[in-house]
Amino acid sequence: AAFAMLSRDVRPVPGAPGQLQAQATFRNDARGTQAWPVILLTLKDADGRTLGARALQPGDYLTDEATQDGIAPGQSAQVAVRVREPSANVVAFSFDFR
């Protein structure tokens, strides 16, 4: 799958202790339409140890109708989800396509 990550961010949710807002924007760089990807969000500590992970299914970040069509060539999409902070030691994150 030829997906490109354009931007990504994870921040605490103001006024909601223990909650994080995860956002990412990605683009389909393939020549054709692809199925929407599963995106793995991994939260890590300062030593790179995984503290928590969540596989974001297309239904987690899209409406049901949008998941049926796939993502067109050159099309960008944004993911925005809230997740529970697994530990106060979270200092790093990654988004990976599955």
Side-chain angles (χ1 to χ4, degrees):
F3 292 108
M5 187 63 67
L6 304 176
S7 66
R8 58 194 174 275
D9 190 32
V10 175
R11 295 179 185 259
V13 176
Q19 294 287 308
L20 300 172
Q21 179 71 27
Q23 296 180 315
T25 302
F26 64 95
R27 181 181 60 232
N28 176 10
D29 284 346
R31 292 183 181 170
T33 298
Q34 296 192 82
W36 290 96
V38 173
I39 301 172
L40 181 63
L41 168 61
T42 305
L43 303 171
K44 301 176 182 183
D45 68 11
D47 294 321
R49 289 182 294 239
T50 298
L51 299 174
R54 180 173 170 192
L56 304 171
Q57 302 294 325
D60 294 331
Y61 62 88
L62 296 171
T63 64
D64 288 339
E65 293 174 8
T67 61
Q68 296 172 6
D69 297 333
I71 182 168
Q75 180 180 353
S76 295
Q78 185 175 35
V79 175
V81 295
R82 280 193 181 189
V83 296
R84 184 182 59 79
E85 185 176 29
S87 166
N89 296 328
V90 172
V91 296
F93 64 91
S94 64
F95 286 91
D96 298 293
F97 298 108
R98 301 282 179 206

